Amino acid sequence: MNPVTPAHADSLRALLSPDRVLTSDEDILPYSFDGTAALKVKPGAVVFPKTSEEVAACVKLAREADIPVVTRGSGTGLSGGSVPILGCLVICLTQMDQILELDEKNLTLKAQCGVITKEIDDLAAKSGLFYPPDPGSMKISTIGGNVAENSGGLRGLKYGVTRDYVMGVQVVLPDGTLTWLGNKCVKDVAGYSMKDLFIGSEGTLGIITEVLIKLLPRPQSRKTLLALYDRMEAAAETISAIIAAKIIPCTLEFLDRTTVQCVEDYAKIGLPTDVEALVLMETDGHPAVVREEAEQMMQLARAHGARDVLVAADEAEGARLASARRNAFSALARVMPTTILEDVTVPRTELAHMVGFIRACAERHQVRVGTFGHLGDGNLHPTFLTNERDHEEMHRVEAALEEIVNETLRLGGTVTGEHGVGLAKKAFVRRQLGEGSYELMRSIKRALDPQSLLNPGKIFDL
Amino acid sequence: MNPVTPAHADSLRALLSPDRVLTSDEDILPYSFDGTAALKVKPGAVVFPKTSEEVAACVKLAREADIPVVTRGSGTGLSGGSVPILGCLVICLTQMDQILELDEKNLTLKAQCGVITKEIDDLAAKSGLFYPPDPGSMKISTIGGNVAENSGGLRGLKYGVTRDYVMGVQVVLPDGTLTWLGNKCVKDVAGYSMKDLFIGSEGTLGIITEVLIKLLPRPQSRKTLLALYDRMEAAAETISAIIAAKIIPCTLEFLDRTTVQCVEDYAKIGLPTDVEALVLMETDGHPAVVREEAEQMMQLARAHGARDVLVAADEAEGARLASARRNAFSALARVMPTTILEDVTVPRTELAHMVGFIRACAERHQVRVGTFGHLGDGNLHPTFLTNERDHEEMHRVEAALEEIVNETLRLGGTVTGEHGVGLAKKAFVRRQLGEGSYELMRSIKRALDPQSLLNPGKIFDL
């Protein structure tokens, strides 16, 4: 594999335009890292195509010169998926930012990959429609990045994740071929589901240039509750009782004591800082159903030992309560120089056990961890508050992480629920998947990208 | 590739047991065809494994002897996907019929591949849970076959298809490796979604031996309506108006005049036989919402020109009205010796146009076609009533089919919405997918099954 040379940069400038090719140190610095702690590598050049054809042309040029390519949207990723390879070509897709079509009759939306995710839901909302996936980064992350990472969000249990809303993707393959996979048909079984292979492939198999998204009617109403617990087990029992009552809320989020304390320090919402668990619950849909489910959830929370249950009177108060959860990561991130955000996920029934395990593990290794996450879908974000310059502490963090991963896998869980593998989880994937499944994945990469041109070294080594 | 020899059959008998290996002509005859018209090929042997390990052992034996393998469930497929290769080994999975686990807390069910689909929903129903996909064959088809074909059904618009309910599959790969893909986590982005590659791969990449299924809470109530129209366009306008009103019914099915006449002849439901279109609508969910939506749908049907709207007073009457649709294929199948059931799907907005095109096309070629299908998801089943021995008429049928496929593709549709490609749609897939996407699919097959051991010649030729 070769680095980008000045001659390559000139070819790229001729292909795009001079202002859309960056090569100087100060220009490319912002593209040498993403949202992941402690990972930084300098690329050789950063280009900003505006069309799918320009992306294909860049890939062909890189292929002929054997230059590795790393794709990038807004760079909000938390697993190092868009961290460059030294000297590589970074294709930054933020200028491919056009929404191409809103088809209200077929409930679909077509957009270039660089459109900000929230803009899609905002436009849908104007027509009474709804794009449910809401990753924490949705105000700044791109839809193409969301699709490449198969991003989750706070509504996984009821509405699923990004994959569930992708009807089609236009991709540039490693050989520069531009092709559409999928269409507007609600049912289609003509051949393998190639789009599903690219969703969540983290830029290792192709570059997603356009997406065709499925929309839903927007829920007519929503109700927000906040339940406070002195014991995590009581919170978990409430969730089980809600599911047993055949209620599927759109949101079931929780914060542990450390996280609540940091949030209250940061956002002054007025939360009691002595609770063991704070659970945010939301139900949405038809007003009659929402009223009924909110009432049931309140009663179930009380019956299962909630110290207090706050019910938002209106949307504004609901948003205020929800801000406790929305602020969790920012609140934790300001405590210490380095924040390592984990993403383990277990079957929902194992959640209370897992939260307890994480707490005990942190105590054992004397590291500071705040845990928050998605109770409805078993996705936990234990967040290590540390300092990457304190090598001794970092060793303890790593030891704690190793134990958390082992316990996750023992419970039938996954090392990443929504952040992706990238570089950060690479060491654990083989153990999770087992040899057969792991080798299967690598054989797909070899077949589609024999030169290992796209995002080499991410997810696995070949 | 080699046929099964008596020596191979002996090895298979040693591997399983003598009563689970069939080789005599009269024994294997029932396994030489599936539900597809006019396709019949004699296999060399038919085996009935009971465990995943036995399936893996059979695949290893076939691999070493270079014998092609065709997998089969109940053989209800409509695209020739389980029609044997001459002299091949048929692995029939109907004896792998155990439901392994119902996990009410995680809303999952684990089953061997040979379990009848309806048994899964019946068991779920006992716990107030719901398995939504309902292919027409669900009383006799197997869940493994449904997953391998990514079967649809009558609830696609609201509930999606089989793929949307598969959390994991256990597969035997072409080299005999047995591996699980997926798990009970609602969110999981650890690597490529390998399970999605196998769902809908029609037995060409691996053999699905166990499945992990996602369940939903069972809807509390349901309401059925039947609207009768003198013009197809009016029916289509009703559907558009329902979607515009932000209602997503669980069922929106239609029958054309020919189909209504055949159904009435067959089932004597009391339908008027002079209507141009009959539309079955169902809404399910919370009783308050169901009442409201049923009322709205009735008014929208009347406002858009329905001659009459029948509203079922209760579940029993609802079932009677729904039987008009459930009987459509059986009613058409008894009219002529040969029934060719097509499966084209277009974006929903193109439905009225497509139905008109099919009618005009049938007239132009002087062939008899009854059309029924899924208005909500754009999936149409134009059904040719013909006689395969009448070669002259069969030529006209083929010419009409060709035109229907061309029009489908022009409208951005698919040649198969839910029946699969198999042998029946092979000629059309390349045209639909385009060169890039088609070659991508073939490169996957080559990577996973270089010997072309599993279901060779289905979907595409290598």
Side-chain angles (χ1 to χ4, degrees), chain B residues 33-36 72-79 82 137 140-142 146:
Chain B
F33 55 90
D34 64 9
T36 320
R72 180 189 180 91
S74 299
T76 57
L78 293 165
S79 56
S82 53
S137 59
I140 46 170
S141 62
T142 63
N146 288 183

Side-chain angles (χ1 to χ4, degrees), chain A residues 96-348:
Chain A
M96 291 187 58
D97 57 358
Q98 301 300 306
I99 294 182
L100 304 171
E101 181 195 71
L102 172 62
D103 181 344
E104 291 187 43
K105 291 190 170 171
N106 284 308
L107 301 178
T108 61
L109 182 147
K110 198 158 109 176
Q112 282 189 303
C113 57
V115 171
I116 300 298
T117 303
K118 188 166 184 304
E119 285 177 21
I120 289 179
D121 189 46
D122 286 348
L123 184 71
K126 286 182 190 157
S127 301
L129 297 173
F130 183 36
Y131 175 65
D134 62 340
S137 59
M138 73 181 293
K139 286 183 191 171
I140 44 169
S141 62
T142 63
I143 188 69
N146 288 184
V147 173
E149 298 288 319
N150 187 22
S151 303
L154 274 59
R155 303 182 180 126
L157 175 62
K158 178 168 179 178
Y159 288 108
V161 294
T162 301
R163 180 185 303 282
D164 301 305
Y165 297 87
V166 180
M167 299 187 75
V169 289
Q170 187 195 48
V171 290
V172 174
L173 300 178
D175 66 0
T177 302
L178 181 64
T179 185
W180 262 100
L181 310 170
N183 53 50
K184 282 190 187 176
C185 296
V186 175
K187 287 174 175 170
D188 179 14
V189 292
Y192 307 155
S193 184
M194 288 291 91
K195 77 175 166 71
D196 276 299
L197 186 59
F198 287 84
I199 301 166
S201 67
E202 306 189 15
T204 63
L205 297 177
I207 300 179
I208 294 163
T209 45
E210 293 182 10
V211 296
L212 180 69
I213 293 289
K214 169 177 126 174
L215 302 172
L216 297 183
R218 205 160 190 88
Q220 296 167 45
S221 72
R222 175 205 308 266
K223 195 90 182 166
T224 306
L225 296 82
L226 205 62
L228 306 169
Y229 293 88
D230 294 321
R231 291 185 313 120
M232 179 62 207
E233 291 68 24
E237 283 159 17
T238 304
I239 306 309
S240 294
I242 288 171
I243 304 290
K246 313 298 179 212
I247 298 171
I248 304 285
C250 65
T251 303
L252 276 178
E253 296 290 310
F254 103 106
L255 314 183
D256 73 354
R257 182 197 284 244
T258 301
T259 311
V260 170
Q261 288 168 347
C262 292
V263 166
E264 190 50 32
D265 266 4
Y266 172 64
K268 317 273 184 240
I269 299 170
L271 304 171
T273 52
D274 62 338
V275 294
E276 271 310 307
L278 174 157
V279 178
L280 176 76
M281 307 175 185
E282 285 188 329
T283 161
D284 66 1
H286 188 283
V289 180
V290 166
R291 263 195 308 277
E292 194 175 303
E293 288 187 349
E295 176 67 27
Q296 275 181 285
M297 291 200 293
M298 187 185 69
Q299 286 174 5
L300 288 169
R302 292 221 167 105
H304 287 86
R307 177 208 289 189
D308 200 1
V309 186
L310 315 172
V311 183
D314 51 31
E315 280 275 325
E317 199 186 341
R320 195 178 61 84
L321 297 183
S323 72
R325 169 63 184 87
R326 291 269 170 206
N327 280 310
F329 181 55
S330 310
L332 289 168
R334 64 197 271 281
V335 176
M336 288 286 287
T338 307
T339 312
I340 299 178
L341 177 61
E342 283 304 315
D343 184 36
V344 291
T345 304
V346 292
R348 190 170 46 243

Side-chain angles (χ1 to χ4, degrees), chain B residues 228-278:
Chain B
L228 306 169
Y229 293 88
D230 293 322
R231 292 185 313 120
M232 180 61 208
E233 290 70 22
E237 285 158 17
T238 304
I239 306 308
S240 294
I242 289 172
I243 304 289
K246 312 298 179 211
I247 299 171
I248 304 285
C250 65
T251 303
L252 277 177
E253 296 290 310
F254 102 106
L255 314 183
D256 73 353
R257 182 196 284 245
T258 301
T259 310
V260 171
Q261 288 168 347
C262 291
V263 165
E264 191 51 33
D265 266 6
Y266 173 65
K268 317 273 184 244
I269 297 170
L271 304 170
T273 52
D274 62 337
V275 293
E276 270 310 307
L278 174 156

Side-chain angles (χ1 to χ4, degrees), chain A residues 37-108:
Chain A
L39 293 172
K40 189 186 276 191
V41 181
K42 223 180 85 177
V46 184
V47 295
F48 298 84
K50 286 176 185 284
T51 67
S52 306
E53 289 72 20
E54 286 182 350
V55 176
C58 292
V59 168
K60 278 181 191 157
L61 187 148
R63 188 195 185 194
E64 277 157 29
D66 201 18
I67 301 167
V69 172
V70 172
T71 319
R72 180 188 180 90
S74 299
T76 57
L78 294 164
S79 56
S82 52
V83 169
I85 313 292
L86 189 65
C88 80
L89 176 65
V90 166
I91 300 186
C92 181
L93 298 160
T94 48
Q95 293 191 22
M96 291 187 58
D97 57 358
Q98 301 300 306
I99 294 182
L100 304 171
E101 181 195 71
L102 172 62
D103 181 344
E104 291 187 43
K105 291 190 170 171
N106 284 308
L107 301 178
T108 61

